[in-house]
Amino acid sequence: MDYVENRMAQEAAKPTPSPEVQTIATPINLILVSLLIYVLYRSLSPSKSAPLPLAPAPVVFRTFTPPTLLPYNGTSDMPVYLAVRGRVFDVTSGRNFYGPGGPYENFAGRDASRGLACGSFDEEMLTKDLQGPLDTLDGLGDEEMEAMRGWEERFEEKYLVVGRLVAVGDEEKQGNGE
Amino acid sequence: MGLDNMMLKLDETVTGIFAEWDIYTTTITVIIITFFAYQIFTSRDPDAHPMLLARQAQASPVRQPGESAVFRSHSAPHGIPLNSGLNIKDPGDSKWARGRDGDLRDVWRRVISGGLDRDGKETGELGSIMTVMGTENIIKHDLADITRQINLIGQHIKENGGNNVAIYLPNSIEFLATLFACAFYDLTAILVPYDQSTEDIISLLHKSKADSVIAAVGSFPFDVVTKSYPDLQQLIWVVDEGSRHMDWNEVPKGTGGAVNVSTWSEIIQDQESNAGAELPAVERTSELKNIIGFWPSGEMIRYTHANLIAGIAGQLTSVPTTQRITNADLFLPADSLTTLYPLVLTLSALFSNATVALNSVAGRTPDIVMATQGIAPTIIVASSATLVKTHSETSDKMNSSMYRLVHWFQTRSLVVHGVMPLATIFSRLFDNLRPIIGTMPGKLRLIFTSSQAGSDSTPLSTETLQDLRIYLGARIIYALTAPKVAGAVTQTSIYDYRGDTGTEKCSHFGVPVTSVEIFCRDTKEQKTTDEAPAGEIIARGPAVVGGEASIGVVGKIQADHTLALL
């Protein structure tokens, strides 16, 4: 309170400035004018709209052969692909099932048609010879083909078709439109 | 002690500054506060959220090598089929049945039955069709009478063995009636562009193999045409009221004796008044004939009814629901109906039970004021050449510096705030310089305009479109049309007022309509990379003749997924 009283007495003792000394360009005026100019500049200058980040680039549809499909089994940061009846599906979103350590990991990077038809994940469902022709699915009855079609439909709804699978040496042949 | 001194000095400085508060300081403070208050009270929400404008089409997740991803409108996303029809349910169908696509006959049936609400019950909203003659004379047509004309004309042509009917008329009710008559009575309609030289008409008739012609009287020399085109079998003159007393059936001696000449009004009056009141019944299995259109390049394209209906369906669904054509709208095509885009829009307006006004001057004059006189349209279709002319005339008139300031503020409201500018006291000062569209200013709310791909018609730049929105006070939709696609290939969003998109010469063309999907195919110069699709534009869908066709131009898809031509 002491301090306040002293300050007030100090200010009161100052002489009032005579009118002719007053100028427009007092510091407070200059501060406020610069504030006004800044506000006008910010609101009237054209503002760039923030662009959305680019969507992920679309995957290019590829023709795979069994050897080139094999690396896509989820190891070393690769996406997980599997093939059903000549169509390659990107099942990376189902990594827990088809990726490494999952129950169906044998299907990753391979032709899973026979395995899905018979409902088995054994090694013997996969084609052994990667350089040979594709599994022609002979020896499978109607029930198994039904089951495989059911699986294929489910895959079509959940996963994206990113390529087609042909045997080694058949890359140049045109596919059947899929 | 040091801190005490510093605080004392600080106190003295701050008090000293504020001690010099005077009247000017108060003024400046009031100005700052008023500015903030004005910004808050006059701020308006943008018409479309900027995030929606930043990504307007959907790209497919997979692309074929050598091509780009396939782009579709958000209203027809990947995974569901493209919008191909009008969802027509016949009486007797269950409410949950999926309607059929329909054809032009169903468009006319919807016109005479009135609007349907969501449950399929009739709402009783009937549109109407008017012909505007000059500024004083507006004729409203009775829909039952037009149905009668459709029936009688169709039966007459069919009975006389006609198959390919060439329509050489300006925009008029007879044009629409003949088009629907060809749909109901299984005839091929040939839309011949109006106002051409005789040699051009003859070559077009040869190309399309027309055997009947419906023409406005005096529009082409009868003897020259019959001599050069002997395949002509029937000719129906459309005579205006003033000349009906003359005998137009008289064929000059020595000319075309094999041609069956009659007039429209005679065909209608010769029958009893209750003949032709009923349209042929609904039959879903008949194979309909095509509709042949000609493009300015001379190309002749055969459109099926399915193509046209898909074009109409695309137009009906590509505009947000609140802005669609409704019963309360007055639609005026200010461009010739032989161009396919105005025709598809006119049919969409008829299907939406709007009031459609026809003006026979439309398409023959580039002056928009003359094409819209006598009536107050809310939606018009104009060619880009007409709009370019309007823009250059208006900007020449309105170039005072006072107006430039007003224009700058209105452009800011359009581009920065994303709303259509309001009419203020300052802008009303210049109202008499604006182009007068229709009899009541302020009614016009939407303008459809198009540019044809590959032709050298004048493109509209982004700046021109912005200026036109301000001059005319209406929103503008800019479409890209191509010969092989019925309706538009791509169209800008109705709320897209941005200024920094497209190339300098030409605005961007927006996103595909819901009945078309587009992709880019690599050419030698333009290849698609992971970031930027570019190449020759190919369109696919039910509105494309043959299912898939190239537009004929090279373009690129920008970051906001709109199409820009290169």
Side-chain angles (χ1 to χ4, degrees):
Chain A
M1 278 316 291
D2 225 10
Y3 173 76
V4 174
E5 275 174 19
N6 285 344
R7 281 287 293 132
M8 299 255 315
Q10 209 177 359
E11 290 293 328
K14 274 211 191 109
T16 56
S18 47
E20 312 98 50
V21 184
Q22 273 181 346
T23 60
I24 303 180
T26 50
I28 181 80
N29 281 355
L30 291 174
I31 293 175
L32 283 181
V33 164
S34 50
L35 181 65
L36 177 65
I37 292 177
Y38 176 71
V39 162
L40 282 174
Y41 171 72
R42 283 301 299 272
S43 58
L44 294 181
S45 70
S47 60
K48 277 265 170 318
S49 50
L52 279 182
L54 280 181
V59 179
V60 185
F61 192 88
R62 259 181 77 180
T63 304
F64 290 97
T65 59
T68 56
L69 188 60
L70 193 60
Y72 290 89
N73 55 6
T75 55
S76 56
D77 271 344
M78 292 287 270
V80 186
Y81 290 173
L82 62 83
V84 181
R85 277 213 303 164
R87 287 199 291 182
V88 176
F89 289 90
D90 179 354
V91 295
T92 319
S93 50
R95 215 191 158 86
N96 297 336
F97 292 111
Y98 302 103
Y104 309 154
E105 63 178 338
N106 283 338
F107 287 159
R110 309 297 296 267
D111 183 2
S113 317
R114 185 175 283 268
L116 289 174
C118 305
S120 145
F121 317 125
D122 297 342
E123 281 288 335
E124 62 205 31
M125 292 287 143
L126 306 168
T127 35
K128 297 277 177 318
D129 181 11
L130 293 180
Q131 302 292 331
L134 294 182
D135 191 344
T136 49
L137 303 177
D138 54 354
L140 293 179
D142 283 335
E143 267 186 27
E144 279 122 1
M145 297 303 277
E146 265 303 307
M148 188 178 72
R149 215 148 285 150
W151 276 107
E152 206 181 328
E153 269 166 31
R154 222 193 278 179
F155 276 16
E156 266 170 22
E157 282 167 22
K158 270 182 86 168
Y159 302 114
L160 193 58
V161 177
V162 293
R164 61 189 182 108
L165 183 68
V166 294
V168 172
D170 282 347
E171 291 97 331
E172 293 313 311
K173 254 207 303 221
Q174 280 297 319
N176 48 357
E178 290 296 337
Chain B
M1 264 323 275
L3 188 63
D4 279 351
N5 274 340
M6 219 172 64
M7 291 303 290
L8 189 61
K9 282 274 179 312
L10 188 62
D11 191 359
E12 279 174 356
T13 321
V14 172
T15 324
I17 291 181
F18 276 97
E20 291 165 350
W21 189 283
D22 57 6
I23 184 77
Y24 301 106
T25 323
T26 321
T27 324
I28 300 173
T29 320
V30 166
I31 292 177
I32 295 180
I33 294 179
T34 320
F35 185 72
F36 273 123
Y38 177 76
Q39 296 279 72
I40 292 174
F41 283 119
T42 59
S43 73
R44 292 157 68 197
D45 278 337
D47 279 341
H49 197 282
M51 292 280 130
L52 290 177
L53 294 179
R55 185 86 22 97
Q56 300 186 27
Q58 195 190 37
S60 67
V62 179
R63 67 180 180 94
Q64 299 287 335
E67 295 172 358
S68 74
V70 176
F71 288 89
R72 283 192 179 194
S73 154
H74 281 306
S75 315
H78 291 277
I80 69 170
L82 290 167
N83 198 354
S84 65
L86 301 171
N87 202 14
I88 308 271
K89 295 199 183 57
D90 298 315
D93 280 353
S94 106
K95 190 168 93 164
W96 308 109
R98 180 191 293 182
R100 61 191 171 89
D101 280 349
D103 48 53
L104 282 189
R105 302 178 289 188
D106 298 299
V107 173
W108 184 254
R109 288 195 189 106
R110 178 64 65 92
V111 174
I112 53 181
S113 70
L116 295 178
D117 65 4
R118 289 233 232 126
D119 292 330
K121 274 200 275 296
E122 295 183 8
T123 55
E125 291 174 339
L126 277 178
S128 53
I129 307 183
M130 300 197 248
T131 305
V132 181
M133 299 190 179
T135 51
E136 299 294 326
N137 200 1
I138 300 176
I139 303 174
K140 190 165 167 194
H141 298 282
D142 177 27
L143 292 177
D145 187 43
I146 305 176
T147 311
R148 184 164 174 269
Q149 292 185 24
I150 292 175
N151 276 321
L152 294 176
I153 292 292
Q155 284 164 8
H156 177 96
I157 298 179
K158 192 112 201 184
E159 277 157 17
N160 288 333
N163 270 316
N164 301 337
V165 182
I167 309 176
Y168 188 67
L169 292 169
N171 286 8
S172 53
I173 186 65
E174 287 86 12
F175 186 106
L176 289 179
T178 316
L179 187 62
F180 286 119
C182 295
F184 278 106
Y185 287 93
D186 225 15
L187 308 162
T188 306
I190 302 166
L191 307 174
V192 182
Y194 199 63
D195 254 357
Q196 297 208 341
S197 69
T198 318
E199 300 88 43
D200 286 338
I201 301 174
I202 296 173
S203 75
L204 293 179
L205 290 178
H206 267 291
K207 251 202 234 176
S208 54
K209 301 203 200 25
D211 53 40
S212 322
V213 173
I214 302 191
V217 74
S219 56
F220 64 77
F222 173 70
D223 41 357
V224 176
V225 172
T226 42
K227 234 189 296 236
S228 336
Y229 188 64
D231 292 338
L232 186 63
Q233 292 170 14
Q234 272 189 72
L235 178 58
I236 301 180
W237 291 119
V238 175
V239 187
D240 55 325
E241 292 279 345
S243 322
R244 284 219 185 132
H245 63 284
M246 294 167 57
D247 188 4
W248 293 101
N249 292 355
E250 281 250 338
V251 171
K253 282 199 195 43
T255 62
V259 181
N260 183 340
V261 178
S262 44
T263 64
W264 184 283
S265 41
E266 267 184 25
I267 298 175
I268 307 297
Q269 281 158 9
D270 276 350
Q271 305 271 345
E272 307 131 9
S273 56
N274 56 356
E278 289 293 318
L279 288 167
V282 174
E283 28 152 353
R284 309 184 197 190
T285 52
S286 54
E287 276 274 334
L288 288 165
K289 301 278 175 61
N290 299 334
I291 295 163
I292 298 182
F294 292 99
W295 282 72
S297 57
E299 210 179 330
M300 179 177 97
I301 315 275
R302 282 178 193 279
Y303 299 97
T304 62
H305 279 248
N307 294 138
L308 279 189
I309 293 294
I312 297 173
Q315 287 302 323
L316 289 174
T317 48
S318 294
V319 176
T321 324
T322 47
Q323 296 288 333
R324 285 187 190 166
I325 309 181
T326 61
N327 187 39
D329 279 312
L330 202 158
F331 180 88
L332 174 72
D335 192 8
S336 167
L337 286 180
T338 53
T339 316
L340 219 67
Y341 186 61
L343 180 65
V344 166
L345 282 169
T346 310
L347 294 171
S348 322
L350 284 173
F351 190 78
S352 317
N353 301 105
T355 309
V356 174
L358 297 168
N359 188 340
S360 61
V361 175
R364 294 148 70 191
T365 168
D367 187 356
I368 204 172
V369 173
M370 199 183 302
T372 56
Q373 62 188 349
I375 207 164
T378 59
I379 305 179
I380 65 174
V381 187
S383 64
S384 56
T386 311
L387 287 184
V388 165
K389 179 165 181 291
T390 312
H391 175 258
S392 60
E393 278 176 2
T394 317
S395 57
D396 284 342
K397 276 195 284 186
M398 296 167 106
N399 58 358
S400 63
S401 42
M402 170 73 174
Y403 180 73
R404 284 222 195 94
L405 186 64
V406 172
H407 191 89
W408 185 81
F409 274 108
Q410 293 196 316
T411 311
R412 264 186 63 82
S413 148
L414 200 58
V415 173
V416 174
H417 303 307
V419 278
M420 286 294 287
L422 291 173
T424 59
I425 316 172
F426 301 106
S427 72
R428 286 210 195 97
L429 292 172
F430 301 94
D431 265 353
N432 54 341
L433 295 173
R434 290 177 209 273
I436 310 168
I437 298 201
T439 51
M440 271 194 270
K443 277 262 168 172
L444 183 65
R445 71 171 175 93
L446 180 54
I447 301 176
F448 285 94
T449 183
S450 66
S451 248
Q452 292 165 0
S455 78
D456 53 1
S457 61
T458 39
L460 289 168
S461 67
T462 318
E463 248 193 70
T464 313
L465 282 174
Q466 274 172 17
D467 289 344
L468 281 170
R469 287 188 181 105
I470 296 172
Y471 294 152
L472 301 172
R475 296 184 169 98
I476 302 184
I477 290 185
Y478 190 30
L480 178 69
T481 56
K484 289 253 163 73
V485 180
V489 182
T490 61
Q491 246 176 215
T492 58
S493 163
I494 191 174
Y495 295 133
D496 190 356
Y497 316 132
R498 295 169 303 160
D500 51 357
T501 57
T503 56
E504 298 91 40
K505 262 197 304 119
C506 182
S507 160
H508 69 98
F509 283 102
V511 292
V513 293
T514 53
S515 51
V516 167
E517 58 183 16
I518 61 172
F519 59 93
C520 305
R521 188 170 285 161
D522 286 350
T523 63
K524 276 199 286 301
E525 299 89 37
Q526 297 289 341
K527 299 221 184 309
T528 301
T529 60
D530 269 344
E531 299 85 41
E536 190 190 356
I537 310 288
I538 318 274
R540 241 196 322 232
V544 183
V545 173
E548 180 175 324
S550 161
I551 303 295
V553 285
V554 173
K556 67 174 179 189
I557 312 276
Q558 299 174 297
D560 55 0
H561 290 189
T562 57
L563 174 66
L565 296 188
L566 290 168

